[in-house]
Amino acid sequence: MIRFSAVSKRYPGGYEALRGVTLEIGDGEMVAVTGHSGAGKSTLLKLAAGLERASNGSVVVNGQNLGALGETALAILRRRIGFVFQDHKLLFDRNAFENVALPLRIAGFPAAEAARRVRAALDKVGLLAREKTRPVALSGGEQQRLCIARAIVNRPSLLVADEPTGNLDADYARSILDLFISFHQVGVTVLLSTHDEAALERLACRRVALASGVLAP
Amino acid sequence: MRTWIRLHAMALRDAAGRLLGQPFAAGFSILVLAMVLALPVLAAVALRSAAAVASRVDTDPHVNVFLALDASEEDARRVGQALKAQPAVSSVRFVPRAEAFEELRKTTHLGELLASLDRNPLPDAYTVRVASADPAALAALRDAWSKLPKVDRVAADGDWAARLAAWIRFARTLTAAGGAFLALAVAFMVAHLIRLQVATRRDEVEVSRLVGATAADVRRPFLWFGLLEGALAGALAAAFVALAGAWLQAQMQVLAPSYGIELQAFSLAIREAAVVAAVAAALGWAGARIAVQRELKSVSAGR
């Protein structure tokens, strides 16, 4: 599903977030990336989801070398990958339904089909009753769920989540983790980052440790 | 194809919703754009009207050669032969003083005044048509003829019409240049408005890019917005021109008969109004395209 070969990422200004990362994640696998903040977790996830490009090395997702894709092809590939952002990236001038519908609108889905999928996604994360609510009126955990609903509305085969339990209390974090476990159980490849030991225990999946941009052996 | 149409329909709805969502701001900018567009269109319509007038005026250059009052029949004959000898002259018509007097009495209201005169004050005259309209050649002929014996005065009546035609040509060039300039101004004004829009929708643009929008997807609603704004401004400009035309026509109606001119309709046909709106829509689209291209670059650079 995902193959990193000697991947490095250097940001403008010279900061090197990843160095020579080689990693393979199989179809339907669930992998947790661990490490301190600044270790390069977010960069690795963004490279896997085609949100950023590697400076060196190759990233292959679903058999496609992301470095070889043009901007438009890369954008279209992103539609098949669900991404749960650390800072949610919700639009505060629209309600929950409209936020989740955004990827489907962009892909040009017929309205009726889109509405059905949006409601299914909201139902999955337990927010169906709040479809008319704007993100400001939602709690942090609910916003996180809304972001997950938007990530899965396109029914992606790869779901990437950056610190999905970051600022949540233990109970809420557990229910979010259970959501990811349930996606994994139906065959979705899940790649997430966390630095929370309790979360890792609950997920009970393969771990990949990053330290200063380098994979720990 | 169905998806493509649906994407455009959604973008159009989005753009229309945004226009209606802020009726004051949108209406104000459309009004300003319409006023800028109306200027060259109004100038073009006025010129067309003036050109129609000029073309109906006899611009075939003719010259009146007036003889001295004491010229004899023999003198008149000699002048006539001299005029006919010129190769540039296409026709020469002799107007005897009695005939000129009779014509003046019939066509003007000076009958009583003329009747009170004890003698005919008008001279014999020749009306000469010249084949060439070249002003320099015409001037040379006038010069030569005024030096003929017993010729009192040489007047070229067609001069003002020729001058009018030249002025109209000049004004056309000026209008075309000014029109091009103002069209550019409209495109850049739309570009500025769209730039502001993109700035206020930066979050939406950024999130859309993250969840898989291509550059074209992001551009689409803004292009429709520019196109709509341009089309509405163009339609409004056509309406302005129609109003201004009606008002000017009323003014001209008073002025025109004193020049013996009948005015042509001073307005825009529906089809021409549609052309104005279409050109304005294209300008709006182009302006939006310029703005979005620039703004998109700055968004993707921040990614």
Side-chain angles (χ1 to χ4, degrees):
Chain A
M1 186 80 193
I2 304 174
R3 199 168 68 241
F4 278 58
S5 310
V7 171
S8 298
K9 174 68 183 181
R10 185 181 292 110
Y11 285 104
Y15 175 66
E16 199 162 32
L18 287 181
R19 272 178 297 164
V21 171
T22 296
L23 175 68
E24 185 143 2
I25 296 169
D27 243 345
E29 203 179 351
M30 178 152 74
V31 174
V33 183
T34 65
H36 295 295
S37 48
K41 300 191 297 290
S42 292
T43 302
L44 190 143
L45 298 189
K46 283 177 186 165
L47 289 174
L51 293 174
E52 284 182 1
R53 288 174 186 275
S55 311
N56 276 305
S58 75
V59 178
V60 177
V61 177
N62 254 336
Q64 281 187 293
N65 184 349
L66 302 193
L69 295 179
E71 280 297 320
T72 300
L74 195 61
I76 287 167
L77 177 116
R78 282 202 290 273
R79 297 177 187 175
R80 301 206 303 271
I81 299 170
F83 200 103
V84 179
F85 299 93
Q86 197 170 3
D87 54 355
H88 309 153
K89 302 266 186 214
L90 296 169
L91 293 174
F92 285 85
D93 59 343
R94 323 166 168 217
N95 63 32
F97 182 96
E98 290 161 341
N99 265 285
V100 176
L102 186 68
L104 300 180
R105 276 183 62 94
I106 288 167
F109 267 69
E113 165 78 3
R116 202 163 54 241
R117 285 197 179 200
V118 170
R119 297 220 164 83
L122 284 170
D123 194 25
K124 182 79 190 164
V125 301
L127 285 176
L128 189 52
R130 316 214 45 188
E131 62 169 82
K132 295 275 193 296
T133 312
R134 295 203 174 200
V136 254
L138 297 174
S139 71
E142 285 171 328
Q143 289 187 14
Q144 184 68 280
R145 287 162 175 270
L146 191 56
C147 188
I148 293 170
R150 188 182 61 195
I152 62 168
V153 75
N154 255 337
R155 297 181 188 159
S157 54
L158 170 60
L159 188 57
V160 182
D162 196 0
E163 299 274 3
T165 58
N167 307 309
L168 304 178
D169 60 48
D171 279 353
Y172 221 109
R174 217 172 302 130
S175 72
I176 296 276
L177 291 171
D178 288 347
L179 266 176
F180 285 103
I181 292 168
S182 74
F183 297 135
H184 169 55
Q185 281 165 352
V186 296
V188 176
T189 307
V190 178
L191 174 61
L192 48 78
S193 69
T194 183
H195 58 258
D196 175 12
E197 208 41 56
L200 288 167
E201 260 172 52
R202 181 142 196 110
L203 289 168
C205 66
R206 177 180 158 203
R207 301 178 191 188
V208 171
L210 270 177
S212 307
V214 180
L215 276 188
Chain B
M1 187 66 189
R2 291 259 298 274
T3 305
W4 186 83
I5 291 170
R6 191 155 48 233
L7 284 170
H8 276 281
M10 283 196 294
L12 176 58
R13 205 174 322 140
D14 177 282
R18 234 153 256 281
L19 268 179
L20 297 174
Q22 33 181 308
F24 185 76
F28 192 73
S29 45
I30 287 171
L31 191 70
V32 172
L33 290 173
M35 292 198 283
V36 173
L37 284 166
L39 286 174
V41 177
L42 188 61
V45 168
L47 271 177
R48 185 177 58 184
S49 185
V53 168
S55 73
R56 249 174 298 150
V57 171
D58 190 4
T59 52
D60 185 15
H62 67 273
V63 178
N64 289 326
V65 178
F66 298 102
L67 300 184
L69 278 173
D70 61 349
S72 64
E73 271 181 42
E74 180 57 27
D75 292 331
R77 206 169 45 76
R78 262 206 308 278
V79 170
Q81 273 164 355
L83 294 175
K84 280 175 194 150
Q86 281 289 338
V89 168
S90 56
S91 79
V92 175
R93 187 168 75 89
F94 181 61
V95 184
R97 50 193 303 194
E99 189 186 318
F101 187 81
E102 193 56 27
E103 197 181 323
L104 191 64
R105 204 176 59 77
K106 268 195 236 152
T107 57
T108 67
H109 305 292
L110 303 173
E112 265 178 54
L113 177 70
L114 292 174
S116 72
L117 296 174
D118 52 355
R119 62 185 184 87
N120 179 358
L122 299 177
D124 287 329
Y126 282 100
T127 296
V128 185
R129 290 199 176 276
V130 182
S132 150
D134 175 24
L138 214 57
L141 287 176
R142 282 174 59 179
D143 221 40
W145 292 340
S146 63
K147 286 183 185 127
L148 289 173
K150 293 293 179 191
V151 167
D152 181 41
R153 210 161 59 83
V154 180
D157 272 358
D159 269 11
W160 77 273
R163 269 201 300 273
L164 176 62
W167 274 110
I168 286 171
R169 275 197 300 279
F170 173 68
R172 268 208 192 116
T173 314
L174 206 64
T175 304
F181 194 72
L182 289 175
L184 261 180
V186 165
F188 282 118
M189 281 164 77
V190 172
H192 179 66
L193 293 169
I194 299 285
R195 208 178 59 78
L196 293 176
Q197 278 237 348
V198 177
T200 61
R201 295 174 73 181
R202 190 163 284 275
D203 286 349
E204 182 190 343
V205 169
E206 193 202 337
V207 173
S208 297
R209 292 290 267 164
L210 291 176
V211 299
T214 64
D217 291 329
V218 172
R219 272 199 299 265
R220 208 173 291 116
F222 294 109
L223 295 184
W224 273 110
F225 190 91
L227 191 124
L228 270 184
E229 205 159 44
L232 289 173
L236 191 59
F240 281 162
V241 170
L243 273 179
W247 181 72
L248 279 175
Q249 181 142 20
Q251 307 288 305
M252 296 290 274
Q253 224 61 279
V254 182
L255 198 62
S258 61
Y259 283 91
I261 294 165
E262 200 182 318
L263 264 184
Q264 209 202 12
F266 200 88
S267 188
L268 276 180
I270 294 290
R271 218 185 50 194
E272 289 168 321
V275 169
V276 170
V279 168
L283 287 172
W285 183 89
R289 174 89 205 200
I290 296 166
V292 178
Q293 205 66 19
R294 258 188 57 95
E295 291 299 303
L296 265 183
K297 241 174 227 159
S298 67
V299 169
S300 61
R303 182 156 79 73

